[in-house]
């Protein structure tokens, strides 16, 4: 048990060190990039820049977790090997899996950290970050309408509006079209404006013109009403522009977006890809940390260790290239979302498990 915490302590220490270094480099490169055109153009206050980078931190930490897990596992096993501590553990009858168990559990703990940050912290902080960037720094509008929100489909009913004021919760130029067989119109509502009523969660149409159609789609007769309540399946908060990128949404928000998009006929392929990519990336710290276990029974010679470190880093970096390439192909519809998102994890996991099995077999 003492050896377990000894190895785990080293692993966690190197994880924190790598995280600090990688996040610092991310921040430094982003700041240098912004000093070329962005900062001279908008001339933001220092306090706003500081707040912007603070709210950017969860995104950077999530991206850096797999890198930190990979390098920490490799460095931990390499240093244990160089100081002959691996040899002492081997002499005591400990196998590669037992020696690396602290790293395995440490990788699983990093997965939990990534899930917590990605599902609970990132969605809120990224929303605030984009608000600071687009509204407070770039001085953009706070009342932009979400793309594609002007058309909503609910079973056989189409809803459309021309404009929306999020301050007063009022739509203008509202149309509601109920269709029948062969997508022919059965009834159509045209209203000058519609006001949202939170107490009844519906919309009150004003100056309404109702058109009724025959089964063949020709106009039957019209009717007018001053006011008319209608249950439009649109929440005012959903009409505002979503400033966050799909990968900054929580899994629950992505699932809800996919469900509503499927019901209204909107293309949700990119959201499906991002959902499975997000779930697969949560397990990346565990998958890549297994690469370090291959050093459990390697030679202690410096040249062998150097080769092993370069090989481990090359394998780890190929994970990100493969994941991004598969995600791009999935967004184009060339690959299904699930295999594209999870294939990198399964390939690297299979490689690590096979490697550990070979080491255990050689030991026996």
């Amino acid at each position: 048990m003492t050896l377990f915490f000894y190895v785990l302590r080293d692993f966690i220490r190197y994880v924190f060190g790598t995280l600090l270094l990688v996040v610092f480099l991310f921040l430094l490169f982003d700041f240098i990039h912004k000093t070329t055109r962005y900062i001279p153009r908008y001339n933001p206050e220092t306090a706003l820049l500081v707040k912007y980078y603070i709210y950017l931190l969860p995104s950077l930490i999530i991206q850096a977790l797999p890198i930190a897990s990979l390098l920490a596992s490799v460095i931990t096993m390499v240093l244990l090997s160089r100081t002959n501590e691996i040899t002492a553990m081997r002499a005591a009858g400990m196998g590669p899996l037992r020696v690396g168990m602290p790293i395995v559990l440490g990788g699983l703990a990093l997965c939990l950290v990534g899930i917590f940050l990605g599902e609970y912290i990132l969605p809120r902080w990224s929303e605030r970050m984009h608000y600071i960037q687009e509204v407070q720094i770039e001085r953009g509008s706070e009342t932009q309408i979400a793309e594609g929100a002007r058309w909503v489909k609910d079973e056989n009913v189409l809803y459309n509006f021309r404009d929306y004021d999020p301050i007063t919760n009022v739509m203008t130029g509202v149309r509601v079209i109920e269709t029948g067989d062969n997508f022919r119109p059965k009834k159509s509502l045209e209203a000058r404006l519609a006001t949202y009523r939170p107490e009844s969660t519906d919309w009150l149409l004003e100056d309404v013109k109702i058109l009724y159609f025959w089964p063949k789609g020709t106009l039957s007769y019209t009717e007018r009403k001053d006011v008319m309540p209608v249950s439009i399946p649109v929440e005012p908060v959903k009409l505002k522009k979503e400033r966050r990128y799909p990968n900054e949404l929580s899994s629950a928000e992505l699932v809800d977006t996919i469900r509503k998009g499927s019901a209204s006929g909107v293309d949700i392929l990119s959201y499906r890809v991002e959902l499975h990519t997000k779930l697969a990336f949560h397990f990346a710290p565990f998958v890549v940390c297994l690469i370090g276990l291959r050093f459990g029974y390697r030679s202690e010679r410096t040249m062998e260790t150097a080769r092993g470190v370069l090989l481990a880093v090359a394998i780890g970096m190929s994970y990100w290239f493969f994941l991004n390439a598969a995600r791009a192909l999935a967004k184009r519809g060339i690959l299904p979302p699930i295999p594209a998102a999870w294939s990198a994890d399964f390939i690297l996991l299979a490689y690590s498990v096979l490697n550990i099995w070979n080491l255990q077999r050689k030991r026996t």
Side-chain angles (χ1 to χ4, degrees), residues 95-115:
L97 190 57
R98 188 177 174 188
V99 172
M101 187 56 66
I103 293 177
V104 173
L105 295 181
L108 289 174
L110 291 180
C111 290
L112 295 178
V113 173
I115 291 173

Side-chain angles (χ1 to χ4, degrees), residues 250-274:
S250 67
S251 298
E253 289 174 320
L254 286 171
V255 170
D256 184 61
T257 301
I258 292 171
R259 179 181 60 82
K260 293 181 178 179
S262 300
S264 59
V266 178
D267 181 18
I268 42 83
L269 177 60
S270 61
Y271 287 95
R272 291 182 59 206
V273 174
E274 290 298 341

